[in-house]
Amino acid sequence: MTTSQLMPSHVVERVMQKRGRMRIFDRFEPSRTALVVIDMQRFYVEGLPPASRIIPVINRLAQGFRAKGASVAWVSMTAGEDGKSLWPLYHDYFFSADNGARHRDGLTPGDPGHQLHPGLDVQAGDIQASKTRFSAFFPGVCDLHEQLAARGIENVAIGGVVTNFCCETSARDAMMLDYKVAMVSDANAARYPEDHQAGFTTVFQSFGDVLTSDEMLDEVLR
């Protein structure tokens, strides 16, 4: 599904009035670009059928990025350590006690849920980073920005789960740090179609492009 098909007509109209074009960025130079895959861990993927369905797309993107000389980064959520929450506000107020403990413990290093899904094509030369908040680019909670900067990365293509939480907030914060951003529509997943679209709609208006994997590989990454 193309961007114009994915977005509500009133959003397309507003964007065209604002900038006069659908796509913001025509080209991402591969050596300065990274595919950033968010939270594709067993804890999330095994309980979210749409996430399982995007694994082949993410793997195809990762292979295509590497073949063109671009980087691949895998970002994991770490919510607990030694039985203690690394985000008490979130666990204490936004969950029931049982669900908060499940989230904390399932996303603690050493728990199987914390591991990246075994179906992902993770290679030794890829970047790996861990975060303790939704955004992979929020200062002080993840070292992804520093790892990307060390490679001279200026452009990021974002995929993973879930579209309207960690992926969207990462896209927003990346743009605030002056990265050129694109969310890859068929490489993101959310629990409900409405949530999936909502994440893209916000980013499309003021934070970055929303592209298909084919558009990213065939048209932009060159």
Side-chain angles (χ1 to χ4, degrees):
M1 185 178 292
T2 65
T3 303
S4 60
Q5 294 171 320
L6 187 64
M7 299 298 161
S9 59
H10 70 277
V11 172
V12 172
E13 181 180 354
R14 184 182 307 139
V15 163
M16 292 302 293
Q17 289 175 348
K18 179 180 180 180
R19 62 180 181 246
R21 62 190 187 279
M22 290 287 289
R23 187 177 296 178
I24 305 168
F25 307 115
D26 294 324
R27 178 175 180 260
F28 282 180
E29 181 183 338
S31 65
R32 297 189 178 275
T33 303
L35 172 67
V36 176
V37 183
I38 305 289
D39 292 356
M40 288 293 288
Q41 296 156 269
R42 290 180 59 184
F43 179 87
Y44 292 118
V45 175
E46 292 176 359
L48 185 67
S52 297
R53 293 195 288 268
I54 65 172
I55 289 175
V57 181
I58 289 173
N59 286 344
R60 184 170 68 90
L61 280 167
Q63 293 158 11
F65 269 57
R66 295 189 199 101
K68 293 188 177 190
S71 298
V72 178
W74 306 93
V75 181
S76 299
M77 181 70 178
T78 299
E81 187 177 67
D82 298 326
K84 295 181 179 180
S85 172
L86 297 178
W87 195 359
L89 176 72
Y90 188 48
H91 291 130
D92 291 348
Y93 289 93
F94 290 82
F95 291 93
S96 67
D98 288 346
N99 285 334
R102 186 177 70 87
H103 185 271
R104 177 198 68 209
D105 295 341
L107 291 169
T108 291
D111 188 278
H114 187 262
Q115 299 170 359
L116 291 171
H117 191 278
L120 296 166
D121 178 31
V122 181
Q123 298 293 322
D126 295 344
I127 294 169
Q128 293 210 32
S130 178
K131 61 185 177 64
T132 59
R133 297 293 187 273
F134 291 148
S135 172
F137 290 90
F138 193 80
V141 303
C142 185
D143 69 348
L144 177 66
H145 173 54
E146 289 75 16
Q147 292 196 65
L148 295 179
R151 296 194 183 195
I153 301 300
E154 299 175 353
N155 319 305
V156 293
I158 294 177
V161 293
V162 291
T163 313
N164 57 313
F165 278 83
C166 295
C167 297
E168 179 193 336
T169 56
S170 295
R172 289 177 179 233
D173 286 344
M175 182 269 192
M176 296 296 179
L177 291 171
D178 293 327
Y179 289 92
K180 296 175 182 176
V181 176
M183 292 187 75
V184 185
S185 58
D186 51 336
N188 282 264
R191 191 167 299 279
Y192 304 108
E194 296 82 2
D195 291 346
H196 189 59
Q197 184 184 56
F200 293 142
T201 299
T202 299
V203 169
F204 171 65
Q205 293 181 73
S206 287
F207 295 95
D209 282 319
V210 178
L211 307 173
T212 66
S213 56
D214 287 340
E215 289 173 327
M216 175 56 64
L217 290 172
D218 299 339
E219 301 174 21
V220 176
L221 190 67
R222 56 185 174 82

